[in-house]
Amino acid sequence: GAVVSQHPSWVICKSGTSVKIECRSLDFQATTMFWYRQFPKQSLMLMATSNEGSKATYEQGVEKDKFLINHASLTLSTLTVTSAHPEDSSFYICSARAPRGTYEQYFGPGTRLTVT
Amino acid sequence: RKEVEQDPGPFNVPEGATVAFNCTYSNSASQSFFWYRQDCRKEPKLLMSVYSSGNEDGRFTAQLNRASQYISLLIRDSKLSDSATYLCVVNGVTGGGNKLTFGTGTQLKVEL
């Protein structure tokens, strides 16, 4: 099946620094990728939809200037958490829409971000 | 009201038991429905899609009731390896139909 990779797996950074997370579709082209965030014991919450070659679409309440998304190629989307704060500590997961044109999404393994 | 609601559990069942989870969704225009499985500190993985006619995959059976707007998942002969959180997922009608809305998940613990 389709594979989505995500790097890094986990990162610990200091408050005020910026962190970049990469999401790659390994064996298919993904014109649309998604970024989710999951806090402990909560459901996945969609942050933004990343479209190759155009601006990302952010969900209500998500600061686009804080969470920078770049989808420069058909296989790579990046999420940069700028000026990270402890409340940004979370599990960030990307996904790519299935190439068959269904609504299924393939998820990356996630990145656990801890901001100290 | 949440868009997708699930009983969080946990449901503790003995190995070999049959267990069922339900999920309700609020948007009657939703088009696609899924059950995902999520292990602790891991990403969600698609377990099965849910079709109007109901569908079965081995020990797993999913059913959809559009009139009542609920989805069910039945697990027969449960195994220790079935212990996980089961996420009910509904495809939304915003964002070009691409948006998946996740329930908070139902935690299953299968015990010896």
Side-chain angles (χ1 to χ4, degrees):
Chain A
V3 178
V4 175
S5 72
Q6 198 173 330
H7 295 282
S9 299
W10 57 268
V11 58
I12 301 172
C13 69
K14 293 185 177 180
S15 188
T17 59
S18 295
V19 175
K20 179 186 283 189
I21 303 170
E22 291 189 351
C23 178
R24 293 181 185 272
S25 57
L26 295 185
D27 53 0
F28 65 102
Q29 293 182 332
T31 55
T32 304
M33 290 184 172
F34 305 88
W35 287 97
Y36 295 85
R37 180 167 54 181
Q38 185 177 33
F39 292 105
K41 298 188 183 297
Q42 295 187 23
S43 62
L44 274 74
M45 296 299 295
L46 179 65
M47 298 176 67
T49 302
S50 171
N51 300 297
E52 188 268 336
S54 64
K55 292 182 178 180
T57 303
Y58 290 82
E59 293 299 301
Q60 191 174 11
V62 178
E63 301 175 58
K64 61 180 181 180
D65 294 328
K66 180 172 180 61
F67 299 99
L68 302 179
I69 291 172
N70 185 282
H71 195 156
S73 76
L74 287 171
T75 59
L76 174 65
S77 176
T78 61
L79 168 69
T80 302
V81 183
T82 62
S83 187
H85 289 105
E87 56 265 31
D88 298 325
S89 299
S90 187
F91 191 44
Y92 292 85
I93 309 175
C94 72
S95 71
R97 188 178 177 191
R100 293 188 298 274
T102 69
Y103 294 125
E104 293 177 29
Q105 294 179 17
Y106 298 107
F107 287 84
T111 297
R112 192 160 300 279
L113 171 64
T114 301
V115 184
T116 61
Chain B
R1 182 185 175 187
K2 291 180 181 178
E3 290 187 62
V4 180
E5 292 204 61
Q6 293 181 254
D7 185 334
F11 290 88
N12 299 307
V13 301
E15 199 175 16
T18 297
V19 61
F21 308 135
N22 290 328
C23 159
T24 58
Y25 60 95
S26 61
N27 190 337
S28 59
S30 299
Q31 299 169 349
S32 301
F33 310 89
F34 310 94
W35 283 103
Y36 277 76
R37 169 191 170 133
Q38 187 175 26
D39 292 288
C40 187
R41 293 177 169 263
K42 299 285 187 181
E43 77 279 17
K45 293 187 177 178
L46 180 65
L47 180 65
M48 59 196 303
S49 301
V50 186
Y51 303 116
S52 297
S53 56
N55 48 302
E56 186 175 308
D57 183 1
R59 297 183 293 108
F60 300 87
T61 300
Q63 292 194 313
L64 167 65
N65 185 319
R66 284 189 183 271
S68 302
Q69 293 179 210
Y70 83 77
I71 308 153
S72 66
L73 176 67
L74 181 77
I75 304 175
R76 290 182 298 277
D77 188 23
S78 51
K79 313 291 185 188
L80 294 175
S81 57
D82 293 333
S83 298
T85 296
Y86 291 84
L87 304 172
C88 177
V89 183
V90 175
N91 183 65
V93 294
T94 59
N98 284 334
K99 180 178 176 179
L100 293 184
T101 301
F102 287 76
T104 52
T106 298
Q107 189 178 8
L108 173 65
K109 295 181 179 179
V110 181
E111 303 164 330
L112 287 171

Short mmCIF file of all heavy atoms in Angstrom, two decimals, chain B residues 30-56:
data_model
loop_
_atom_site.label_atom_id
_atom_site.label_comp_id
_atom_site.label_asym_id
_atom_site.label_seq_id
_atom_site.Cartn_x
_atom_site.Cartn_y
_atom_site.Cartn_z
N SER B 30 -22.75 13.68 5.14
CA SER B 30 -21.47 12.96 5.10
C SER B 30 -21.55 11.83 4.09
O SER B 30 -22.59 11.18 3.94
CB SER B 30 -21.13 12.40 6.49
OG SER B 30 -20.99 13.46 7.42
N GLN B 31 -20.43 11.60 3.43
CA GLN B 31 -20.46 10.67 2.30
C GLN B 31 -19.68 9.39 2.51
O GLN B 31 -20.04 8.35 1.96
CB GLN B 31 -19.92 11.40 1.06
CG GLN B 31 -20.71 12.62 0.66
CD GLN B 31 -20.01 13.46 -0.39
OE1 GLN B 31 -18.84 13.25 -0.68
NE2 GLN B 31 -20.72 14.40 -0.95
N SER B 32 -18.59 9.48 3.24
CA SER B 32 -17.74 8.29 3.40
C SER B 32 -17.44 8.09 4.87
O SER B 32 -17.32 9.05 5.63
CB SER B 32 -16.42 8.46 2.62
OG SER B 32 -16.68 8.66 1.25
N PHE B 33 -17.28 6.82 5.22
CA PHE B 33 -17.14 6.47 6.63
C PHE B 33 -16.06 5.41 6.77
O PHE B 33 -15.94 4.51 5.93
CB PHE B 33 -18.47 5.94 7.17
CG PHE B 33 -19.64 6.85 6.85
CD1 PHE B 33 -20.34 6.69 5.67
CD2 PHE B 33 -20.01 7.86 7.72
CE1 PHE B 33 -21.39 7.53 5.35
CE2 PHE B 33 -21.05 8.71 7.41
CZ PHE B 33 -21.74 8.55 6.23
N PHE B 34 -15.32 5.52 7.84
CA PHE B 34 -14.18 4.61 8.03
C PHE B 34 -14.03 4.26 9.50
O PHE B 34 -14.43 5.03 10.38
CB PHE B 34 -12.87 5.25 7.56
CG PHE B 34 -12.92 5.86 6.19
CD1 PHE B 34 -13.22 7.20 6.02
CD2 PHE B 34 -12.65 5.10 5.07
CE1 PHE B 34 -13.27 7.78 4.77
CE2 PHE B 34 -12.69 5.66 3.81
CZ PHE B 34 -13.01 7.01 3.66
N TRP B 35 -13.43 3.13 9.75
CA TRP B 35 -12.89 2.81 11.06
C TRP B 35 -11.37 2.75 10.93
O TRP B 35 -10.84 2.06 10.06
CB TRP B 35 -13.41 1.47 11.57
CG TRP B 35 -14.82 1.53 12.09
CD1 TRP B 35 -15.95 1.11 11.46
CD2 TRP B 35 -15.24 2.04 13.37
NE1 TRP B 35 -17.04 1.33 12.25
CE2 TRP B 35 -16.64 1.90 13.43
CE3 TRP B 35 -14.57 2.59 14.47
CZ2 TRP B 35 -17.39 2.29 14.54
CZ3 TRP B 35 -15.31 2.97 15.58
CH2 TRP B 35 -16.70 2.83 15.61
N TYR B 36 -10.71 3.50 11.80
CA TYR B 36 -9.25 3.46 11.88
C TYR B 36 -8.88 2.86 13.22
O TYR B 36 -9.62 2.96 14.20
CB TYR B 36 -8.65 4.87 11.78
CG TYR B 36 -8.47 5.40 10.38
CD1 TYR B 36 -9.55 5.86 9.65
CD2 TYR B 36 -7.21 5.46 9.80
CE1 TYR B 36 -9.39 6.37 8.37
CE2 TYR B 36 -7.03 5.97 8.52
CZ TYR B 36 -8.12 6.43 7.81
OH TYR B 36 -7.95 6.92 6.54
N ARG B 37 -7.70 2.30 13.26
CA ARG B 37 -7.16 1.76 14.50
C ARG B 37 -5.92 2.57 14.84
O ARG B 37 -5.08 2.85 13.97
CB ARG B 37 -6.79 0.29 14.29
CG ARG B 37 -6.00 -0.29 15.43
CD ARG B 37 -5.42 -1.64 15.09
NE ARG B 37 -4.47 -2.02 16.13
CZ ARG B 37 -4.43 -3.20 16.72
NH1 ARG B 37 -5.28 -4.15 16.33
NH2 ARG B 37 -3.56 -3.47 17.67
N GLN B 38 -5.81 2.94 16.12
CA GLN B 38 -4.62 3.67 16.56
C GLN B 38 -4.04 3.01 17.79
O GLN B 38 -4.71 2.88 18.81
CB GLN B 38 -4.95 5.14 16.84
CG GLN B 38 -3.69 5.97 17.14
CD GLN B 38 -3.99 7.45 17.31
OE1 GLN B 38 -5.09 7.85 17.67
NE2 GLN B 38 -2.98 8.30 17.04
N ASP B 39 -2.80 2.59 17.68
CA ASP B 39 -2.09 2.05 18.83
C ASP B 39 -1.44 3.21 19.58
O ASP B 39 -1.21 4.29 19.02
CB ASP B 39 -1.04 1.03 18.38
CG ASP B 39 -1.69 -0.21 17.82
OD1 ASP B 39 -2.25 -0.98 18.62
OD2 ASP B 39 -1.68 -0.39 16.59
N CYS B 40 -1.12 2.96 20.84
CA CYS B 40 -0.59 4.01 21.69
C CYS B 40 0.65 4.66 21.06
O CYS B 40 1.59 3.97 20.68
CB CYS B 40 -0.26 3.44 23.06
SG CYS B 40 0.22 4.68 24.26
N ARG B 41 0.61 5.98 20.94
CA ARG B 41 1.74 6.76 20.42
C ARG B 41 2.10 6.42 18.98
O ARG B 41 3.24 6.60 18.55
CB ARG B 41 2.96 6.59 21.33
CG ARG B 41 2.77 7.21 22.71
CD ARG B 41 3.96 6.98 23.61
NE ARG B 41 3.85 7.80 24.82
CZ ARG B 41 4.44 8.97 24.97
NH1 ARG B 41 5.20 9.46 24.01
NH2 ARG B 41 4.27 9.68 26.07
N LYS B 42 1.12 5.93 18.24
CA LYS B 42 1.34 5.62 16.83
C LYS B 42 0.32 6.36 15.98
O LYS B 42 -0.65 6.93 16.49
CB LYS B 42 1.18 4.11 16.59
CG LYS B 42 2.15 3.25 17.34
CD LYS B 42 3.54 3.31 16.75
CE LYS B 42 4.46 2.30 17.41
NZ LYS B 42 5.83 2.36 16.84
N GLU B 43 0.55 6.34 14.66
CA GLU B 43 -0.39 6.99 13.78
C GLU B 43 -1.62 6.10 13.55
O GLU B 43 -1.55 4.88 13.70
CB GLU B 43 0.27 7.30 12.42
CG GLU B 43 0.45 6.13 11.47
CD GLU B 43 1.66 5.28 11.79
OE1 GLU B 43 2.22 5.37 12.91
OE2 GLU B 43 2.06 4.52 10.89
N PRO B 44 -2.75 6.68 13.16
CA PRO B 44 -3.92 5.88 12.84
C PRO B 44 -3.68 5.06 11.57
O PRO B 44 -3.02 5.51 10.64
CB PRO B 44 -5.02 6.91 12.58
CG PRO B 44 -4.48 8.20 13.08
CD PRO B 44 -3.00 8.11 13.00
N LYS B 45 -4.25 3.87 11.56
CA LYS B 45 -4.17 3.02 10.38
C LYS B 45 -5.56 2.58 9.99
O LYS B 45 -6.35 2.20 10.84
CB LYS B 45 -3.26 1.81 10.64
CG LYS B 45 -1.80 2.21 10.84
CD LYS B 45 -0.89 1.02 10.92
CE LYS B 45 0.55 1.49 11.04
NZ LYS B 45 1.51 0.38 11.17
N LEU B 46 -5.83 2.64 8.70
CA LEU B 46 -7.16 2.29 8.21
C LEU B 46 -7.46 0.83 8.50
O LEU B 46 -6.71 -0.08 8.12
CB LEU B 46 -7.26 2.55 6.71
CG LEU B 46 -8.59 2.21 6.07
CD1 LEU B 46 -9.69 3.12 6.62
CD2 LEU B 46 -8.51 2.34 4.55
N LEU B 47 -8.56 0.59 9.20
CA LEU B 47 -9.02 -0.77 9.47
C LEU B 47 -9.95 -1.21 8.35
O LEU B 47 -9.77 -2.26 7.75
CB LEU B 47 -9.72 -0.82 10.83
CG LEU B 47 -10.26 -2.16 11.28
CD1 LEU B 47 -9.11 -3.14 11.51
CD2 LEU B 47 -11.08 -2.01 12.56
N MET B 48 -10.96 -0.40 8.10
CA MET B 48 -11.88 -0.72 7.01
C MET B 48 -12.77 0.48 6.70
O MET B 48 -13.04 1.31 7.56
CB MET B 48 -12.72 -1.95 7.34
CG MET B 48 -13.57 -1.84 8.58
SD MET B 48 -14.17 -3.46 9.18
CE MET B 48 -15.03 -4.10 7.75
N SER B 49 -13.18 0.52 5.45
CA SER B 49 -14.20 1.49 5.06
C SER B 49 -15.56 0.91 5.45
O SER B 49 -15.70 -0.30 5.67
CB SER B 49 -14.15 1.74 3.56
OG SER B 49 -12.88 2.22 3.17
N VAL B 50 -16.55 1.76 5.54
CA VAL B 50 -17.89 1.31 5.92
C VAL B 50 -18.84 1.62 4.78
O VAL B 50 -18.96 2.79 4.37
CB VAL B 50 -18.38 2.02 7.21
CG1 VAL B 50 -19.71 1.42 7.66
CG2 VAL B 50 -17.34 1.90 8.31
N TYR B 51 -19.51 0.60 4.29
CA TYR B 51 -20.42 0.77 3.16
C TYR B 51 -21.86 0.63 3.64
O TYR B 51 -22.15 -0.03 4.63
CB TYR B 51 -20.10 -0.25 2.08
CG TYR B 51 -18.67 -0.16 1.58
CD1 TYR B 51 -17.78 -1.22 1.77
CD2 TYR B 51 -18.19 0.99 0.97
CE1 TYR B 51 -16.48 -1.14 1.34
CE2 TYR B 51 -16.87 1.08 0.54
CZ TYR B 51 -16.03 0.02 0.73
OH TYR B 51 -14.73 0.10 0.31
N SER B 52 -22.76 1.22 2.86
CA SER B 52 -24.17 1.24 3.24
C SER B 52 -24.74 -0.16 3.42
O SER B 52 -25.62 -0.38 4.25
CB SER B 52 -24.98 1.98 2.19
OG SER B 52 -24.58 3.32 2.12
N SER B 53 -24.24 -1.08 2.61
CA SER B 53 -24.77 -2.44 2.67
C SER B 53 -24.14 -3.26 3.78
O SER B 53 -24.48 -4.42 3.98
CB SER B 53 -24.51 -3.13 1.32
OG SER B 53 -23.13 -3.08 1.02
N GLY B 54 -23.19 -2.66 4.49
CA GLY B 54 -22.46 -3.41 5.51
C GLY B 54 -21.34 -4.20 4.87
O GLY B 54 -21.47 -4.65 3.73
N ASN B 55 -20.26 -4.36 5.56
CA ASN B 55 -19.17 -5.12 4.99
C ASN B 55 -18.38 -5.83 6.08
O ASN B 55 -18.38 -5.43 7.24
CB ASN B 55 -18.25 -4.23 4.13
CG ASN B 55 -17.85 -2.94 4.80
OD1 ASN B 55 -18.69 -2.14 5.18
ND2 ASN B 55 -16.55 -2.73 4.96
N GLU B 56 -17.74 -6.91 5.67
CA GLU B 56 -17.04 -7.78 6.61
C GLU B 56 -15.62 -8.01 6.10
O GLU B 56 -15.38 -8.13 4.90
CB GLU B 56 -17.80 -9.11 6.69
CG GLU B 56 -17.30 -10.07 7.73
CD GLU B 56 -18.19 -11.31 7.82
OE1 GLU B 56 -19.41 -11.14 7.98
OE2 GLU B 56 -17.66 -12.42 7.71
#
